[in-house]
Amino acid sequence: MSDRLSIDPAHSSAQLLDRLRDRVPLVQCITNTVVSGFTANSLLAIGAAPAMVDIVGEAAAFARVASGLLVNLGTPSPEQRAAAREAVGAAHESGTPWVLDPVAIGALPIRTALAHELVELRPAVIRGNASEILALAGVGAGGRGVDAADSTDAAAEAAALLAARFGSVVAVSGPVDLITDGRSTVRISNGDPLLTRVTGGGCALGAVTAAFVAIADDAFTGAVAATLVYTVAAEVAAAGAEGPGTFAPRFLDALAAVGPAEVRERARVSSTVGDVAGASAAAAFGVVAGADA
């Protein structure tokens, strides 16, 4: 096990924010059409470089040179499904870290089947709400469209199960965010409900996660940093916002302005090493949770 939790997660996240802005990772986004602009702007604000390359014939070539890749299944048109398969295959072969956001899977058959197909290629991070994580693990029917019908804690064992099976970090979004690799778990209590009232508030976090994972020493530390920085920015933006209309531009400003000191000062984080749920999930699959392939 690495020493990723041997220091305070808030401290390591603050350090990674500086590193991200120094390195400016190039993040390829195959994402849904509703949130494409907000996602690109969120990456630019945090200090990364977005590339919305989702065309068959280009997706694989770009995935090989990108720093990180996001695959978001929000509007999975035939062209996007083919591009996602192409990009994920290339990322798997070239070692480009990639993030799977299984938006609204469970009740909707096309995206559900695609999510189960893509996850076999072992994303660095699986990021979704509790209902999506339960559905991907095969123990839930999904939520109400893109909205979760389950609590974060209800998805904790499913998240550990997915981490054990695929060697991925699993990030579950909710009022308290949960990030686990099956052995170690971090819970983050930052954020603001206004983030859920802006289209793309969750989806853009998948892209920001890909950016942080691209420059982190390991996917777990990167996923924790992405969620913490993102939710701290949401708190800053919500202060004084009149509603979702004023929150959205304030949030982009907050992403651009948030600094390491503010991340450390505002962080409300708890961590557990040797998570029991992760151990039991690993035993169920006969693997070591979080182990490399």
Side-chain angles (χ1 to χ4, degrees), residues 30 39 42 57 66 82 93 96 98 115 122 133 147 212 225 227 261 268-269 282 287 291:
I30 299 177
T39 298
S42 295
E93 292 172 0
T96 301
W98 68 284
R122 304 171 71 85
I133 297 303
D147 296 326
F212 272 95
T227 301
R268 298 193 300 277
V269 179
V287 297

Side-chain angles (χ1 to χ4, degrees), residues 97-147:
W98 68 284
V99 174
L100 174 64
D101 192 337
V103 176
I105 70 164
L108 300 173
I110 292 175
R111 70 188 66 210
T112 300
L114 181 59
H116 284 289
E117 174 188 338
L118 294 178
V119 77
E120 293 291 338
L121 292 180
R122 304 171 71 85
V125 179
I126 302 166
R127 195 220 70 82
N129 65 39
S131 296
E132 292 159 353
I133 297 303
L134 285 162
L136 189 61
V139 293
R144 188 184 64 175
V146 299
D147 296 326

Side-chain angles (χ1 to χ4, degrees), residues 16-264:
L16 282 179
L17 177 58
D18 268 342
R19 187 187 300 178
L20 183 148
R21 287 169 173 163
D22 181 61
R23 297 188 183 179
V24 192
L26 176 63
V27 180
Q28 179 182 4
C29 299
I30 299 177
T31 192
N32 77 74
T33 56
V34 180
V35 306
S36 183
F38 189 80
T39 298
N41 285 335
S42 295
L43 284 170
L44 288 168
I46 200 67
M52 320 311 271
V53 181
D54 61 355
I55 298 173
V56 174
E58 295 181 351
F62 203 90
R64 292 189 178 94
V65 299
S67 307
L69 165 69
L70 166 69
V71 175
N72 174 300
L73 303 184
T75 54
S77 66
E79 174 85 5
Q80 269 207 343
R81 297 199 300 273
R85 291 185 177 100
E86 186 180 289
V88 168
H92 182 72
E93 292 172 0
S94 63
T96 301
W98 68 284
V99 174
L100 174 64
D101 192 337
V103 176
I105 70 164
L108 300 173
I110 292 175
R111 70 188 66 210
T112 300
L114 181 59
H116 284 289
E117 174 188 338
L118 294 178
V119 77
E120 293 291 338
L121 292 180
R122 304 171 71 85
V125 179
I126 302 166
R127 195 220 70 82
N129 65 39
S131 296
E132 292 159 353
I133 297 303
L134 285 162
L136 189 61
V139 293
R144 188 184 64 175
V146 299
D147 296 326
D150 301 278
S151 70
T152 303
D153 282 343
E157 188 170 350
L161 184 152
L162 289 170
R165 182 172 184 180
F166 299 110
S168 304
V169 173
V170 182
V172 189
S173 294
V176 176
D177 296 288
L178 182 150
I179 301 99
T180 185
D181 65 355
R183 298 174 301 171
S184 305
T185 300
V186 164
R187 286 177 170 83
I188 298 173
S189 300
N190 294 93
D192 190 273
L194 279 173
L195 195 57
T196 67
R197 298 179 62 192
V198 174
T199 299
C203 294
L205 176 54
V208 170
T209 299
F212 272 95
V213 170
I215 55 87
D217 294 332
D218 60 83
F220 184 80
T221 306
V224 169
T227 301
L228 180 56
V229 171
Y230 198 84
T231 54
V232 165
E235 287 184 350
V236 173
E242 297 178 8
T246 52
F247 172 79
R250 289 173 65 92
F251 178 64
L252 293 177
D253 287 345
L255 278 177
V258 66
E262 193 164 27
V263 171
R264 286 190 294 267

